[in-house]
Amino acid sequence: IPVLFVSDVAQTIAYYRDILGYDTNQDRDDWGSAQLGNATFFFRKSEGEIHPVWCFVSVEEVDDLCTELRAKGATILEAPADQPWGFRQFKLEDLNGYLLIYFRLSDGIQ
């Protein structure tokens, strides 16, 4: 479970809940969490510079999810596509600059 450092925990919680559809929890100003299926993220307030990373999230259906998130205003950087490493995936950037890659195994890959 990654801890992602953010400048505004409440704003991040709202984004993950309202745009990305995660169940969220924030009981302190400097900590929060978001969960969708088996994917969980913790958010911690940072006063310093944020260095975004890539987070891969396994999902059942890539294309429909991408369409849904785009309609809610998510910033989609790469549309769903089959990759040579065996994933069908799309990439989005959250409000903190973190890259979320939603993927499933491509058809025909065991």
Side-chain angles (χ1 to χ4, degrees):
I1 300 173
V3 176
L4 305 179
F5 290 91
V6 300
S7 58
D8 187 321
V9 173
Q11 185 180 28
T12 300
I13 290 291
Y15 176 86
Y16 274 73
R17 180 190 61 233
D18 300 339
I19 303 298
L20 302 184
Y22 283 69
D23 293 323
T24 58
N25 181 36
Q26 182 184 6
D27 54 5
R28 293 177 28 184
D29 289 340
D30 61 343
W31 275 95
S33 65
Q35 183 173 2
L36 182 66
N38 291 327
T40 301
F41 296 103
F42 285 113
F43 307 111
R44 169 124 184 162
K45 182 168 178 54
S46 174
E47 300 297 336
E49 187 176 347
I50 295 171
H51 301 280
V53 296
W54 293 29
C55 300
F56 284 78
V57 180
S58 175
V59 296
E60 294 290 323
E61 176 46 50
V62 170
D63 297 83
D64 291 345
L65 180 60
C66 182
T67 299
E68 176 185 330
L69 297 182
R70 185 186 315 267
K72 290 182 175 181
T75 303
I76 306 298
L77 300 179
E78 293 178 5
D82 291 319
Q83 303 299 326
W85 48 87
F87 286 178
R88 179 157 186 80
Q89 68 182 45
F90 72 93
K91 184 188 304 180
L92 69 81
E93 182 178 36
D94 82 355
L95 73 164
N96 297 291
Y98 289 100
L99 300 179
L100 303 179
I101 297 88
Y102 290 90
F103 75 96
R104 67 167 174 78
L105 293 179
S106 297
D107 293 336
I109 303 295
Q110 299 296 322

